């Protein structure tokens, strides 16, 4: 199942470069998915990033649509080191503008080594 998921994401990778993280196209797709999902379930979206997002302003319409659809948005910065770099701080600031309120309870950070088995 994991390999199928990886193949799907490789085939449907959204444009960007290794140094650029884009979120708006993915959030637009999330809006469509949540609009087709059954009612009565708790709706959450989790945004993970390892750096600043290049298109936060372009994500505004999708964030508003997800909010209208009662989707609770969580965010997490996956950082490389135990101490935060400026890139981690910038990524967290970008995510804070996208997650649900209150932001402090919808934000997290994780050191990459802590996620490994």
């Amino acid at each position: 199942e994991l390999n199928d998921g990886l193949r799907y994401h490789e085939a449907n990778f959204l444009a960007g470069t290794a140094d650029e993280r884009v979120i708006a196209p993915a959030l637009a797709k999330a809006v469509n998915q949540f609009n087709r999902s059954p009612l009565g379930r708790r709706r959450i979206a989790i945004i993970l990033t390892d750096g600043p997002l290049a298109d936060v302003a372009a994500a505004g319409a999708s964030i508003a649509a997800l909010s209208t659809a009662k989707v609770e948005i969580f965010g997490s910065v996956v950082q490389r080191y135990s101490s935060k770099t400026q890139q981690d701080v910038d990524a967290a600031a970008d995510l804070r503008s996208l997650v649900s309120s209150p932001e402090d309870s919808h934000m997290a950070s994780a050191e990459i080594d802590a996620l490994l088995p």
Side-chain angles (χ1 to χ4, degrees):
E1 187 175 328
L2 179 60
N3 287 333
D4 290 340
L6 289 172
R7 279 191 290 279
Y8 169 82
H9 289 290
E10 288 170 353
N12 294 285
F13 180 72
L14 297 170
T17 68
D19 294 329
E20 180 181 68
R21 290 144 191 94
V22 294
I23 192 68
L27 290 175
K29 287 182 180 254
V31 170
N32 291 333
Q33 288 298 114
F34 281 111
N35 284 338
R36 294 187 313 205
S37 68
L39 296 174
R41 290 185 174 173
R42 183 171 182 199
R43 296 173 165 199
I44 64 167
I46 302 171
I47 302 171
L48 300 174
T49 188
D50 64 347
L53 302 168
D55 61 345
V56 172
S62 294
I63 292 296
L66 290 168
S67 179
T68 298
K70 299 190 184 326
V71 176
E72 195 171 0
I73 304 169
F74 293 85
S76 181
V77 176
V78 180
Q79 54 193 64
R80 191 170 191 178
Y81 307 106
S82 57
S83 59
K84 288 182 172 36
T85 65
Q86 187 59 49
Q87 185 173 347
D88 298 330
V89 172
D90 294 343
D94 288 345
L95 276 182
R96 271 191 188 287
S97 68
L98 301 175
V99 300
S100 301
S101 294
E103 291 84 1
D104 286 344
S105 64
H106 288 85
M107 283 287 299
S109 62
E111 187 179 341
I112 190 70
D113 289 340
L115 301 175
L116 299 174

